Amino acid sequence: MKRLLVIGIGAGDPDHLTLQAVKAIAATDVFLIVDKGEVKHELVQLRLDLIAEHGRGPYRIVEARDPERDRTAPAYAAAVDDWRARRALACEALIRDELGEGETGAFLVWGDPGVYDSTLAIVEQILQRGNVAFEHEVIPGISSVAALTARHRTTLTQVGRPVHLTTGRRLAERGAPADDVVVMLDAHCSFAGLDDFHIFWGAYLGTPDEILVSGPVAEVGDRIREVRAEARARKGWIMDTYLLRRLPPADR
């Protein structure tokens, strides 16, 4: 039986790799990489660096190109479903053609695959189609949320208060659904106008390009928009995360 590992590799710092992930990388025969293209090649390079340091040969590295996603489509959910279906076909081909019976393959996933990533959903799609059989295991990683709160020296939760994890799109549509809200990959700075919140914002967490900004939204919102736009223009891509925490009435 083929065996597949979905390994969380942390938010960007090579030291985020857990001992469990190190052991999983060492046990891998075939590393399966989905390349997002030249603009995001450094995301692939981090994976290659981790493999070079912790892999135990002989191992192979095989790649497939990530399908393009239509980011202009008005039906967001349908566009994501279409992209995932095409990505699943590419990943299925890697598992079918490149991973032999009795071998262990691995996808190295940014952050924690159980928090915000499509890999697990794609693995389930492949299994449901039934064209290739394999066992799979998930190795957790340090998520961008954990990296964000650590770098800002704050906690994710507060006593007696829930935390809501959402997307920038949902925040823009519905507003803040709780007093503590984690927002992932917000391309449009949807925190604008939420002046009764403190924001802990971070981009490229755990990498040499890391950027951190925190403060009341009313005071630092414009600065975040400026540094985000500059960073994206310079690098061609950006991954950011932030925590919104409602200010007590006395501080508004």
Side-chain angles (χ1 to χ4, degrees), residues 76-77 164-178 181 183 186 190-192 194 197 242 244 246:
Y76 173 76
H164 190 98
L165 193 152
T166 190
T167 64
R169 181 181 295 269
R170 289 289 181 134
L171 183 69
E173 291 173 351
R174 305 183 181 185
V181 183
V183 183
D186 180 5
S190 302
F191 53 76
L194 298 177
F197 281 86
Y242 58 87
L244 290 170
R246 196 181 302 273

Side-chain angles (χ1 to χ4, degrees), residues 102-187:
E103 288 189 319
T104 297
F107 288 109
L108 304 187
V109 175
W110 204 261
D112 185 338
V115 174
Y116 194 97
D117 185 76
S118 63
T119 303
L120 294 184
I122 287 170
V123 168
E124 290 300 325
Q125 284 188 33
I126 296 170
L127 288 171
Q128 287 171 13
R129 276 203 293 267
N131 296 325
V132 58
F134 55 90
E135 299 174 341
H136 70 292
E137 181 181 351
V138 179
I139 311 300
I142 293 177
S143 71
S144 62
V145 180
L148 176 78
T149 54
R151 294 294 290 131
H152 280 289
R153 300 182 298 277
T154 190
T155 58
L156 178 61
T157 61
Q158 297 192 89
V159 176
R161 285 166 51 161
V163 174
H164 190 98
L165 193 152
T166 190
T167 64
R169 181 181 295 269
R170 289 289 181 134
L171 183 69
E173 291 173 351
R174 305 183 181 185
D179 290 336
D180 296 273
V181 183
V182 174
V183 183
M184 313 287 287
L185 300 178
D186 180 5

Side-chain angles (χ1 to χ4, degrees), residues 6-222:
V6 182
I7 306 173
I9 60 172
D13 187 337
D15 288 343
H16 284 172
L17 207 64
T18 67
L19 290 177
Q20 185 183 19
V22 168
K23 292 176 182 177
I25 291 174
T28 296
D29 301 303
V30 185
F31 294 95
L32 312 172
I33 294 179
V34 181
D35 190 348
K36 293 181 179 292
E38 187 62 33
V39 171
K40 292 187 177 181
H41 180 71
E42 60 191 287
L43 302 183
V44 173
Q45 189 59 52
L46 173 66
R47 291 167 170 84
L48 297 178
D49 292 345
L50 293 175
I51 293 168
E53 182 169 356
H54 301 292
R56 297 292 177 266
Y59 59 77
R60 306 192 307 281
I61 300 173
V62 296
E63 297 186 29
R65 185 61 184 268
D66 194 13
E68 294 294 330
R69 195 180 96 199
D70 184 359
R71 298 181 182 275
T72 64
Y76 173 76
V80 171
D81 287 343
D82 173 71
W83 167 75
R84 280 188 177 179
R86 289 183 289 116
R87 197 173 204 243
L89 288 174
C91 292
E92 181 179 302
L94 286 178
I95 298 169
R96 182 191 65 231
D97 300 337
E98 303 291 350
L99 186 61
E101 291 296 323
E103 288 189 319
T104 297
F107 288 109
L108 304 187
V109 175
W110 204 261
D112 185 338
V115 174
Y116 194 97
D117 185 76
S118 63
T119 303
L120 294 184
I122 287 170
V123 168
E124 290 300 325
Q125 284 188 33
I126 296 170
L127 288 171
Q128 287 171 13
R129 276 203 293 267
N131 296 325
V132 58
F134 55 90
E135 299 174 341
H136 70 292
E137 181 181 351
V138 179
I139 311 300
I142 293 177
S143 71
S144 62
V145 180
L148 176 78
T149 54
R151 294 294 290 131
H152 280 289
R153 300 182 298 277
T154 190
T155 58
L156 178 61
T157 61
Q158 297 192 89
V159 176
R161 285 166 51 161
V163 174
H164 190 98
L165 193 152
T166 190
T167 64
R169 181 181 295 269
R170 289 289 181 134
L171 183 69
E173 291 173 351
R174 305 183 181 185
D179 290 336
D180 296 273
V181 183
V182 174
V183 183
M184 313 287 287
L185 300 178
D186 180 5
H188 302 290
C189 296
S190 302
F191 53 76
L194 298 177
D195 293 347
D196 53 342
F197 281 86
H198 188 107
I199 186 170
F200 301 91
W201 180 86
Y204 313 114
L205 291 160
T207 75
D209 295 306
E210 180 179 86
I211 310 169
L212 300 171
V213 179
S214 69
V217 170
E219 297 178 9
V220 302
D222 288 342

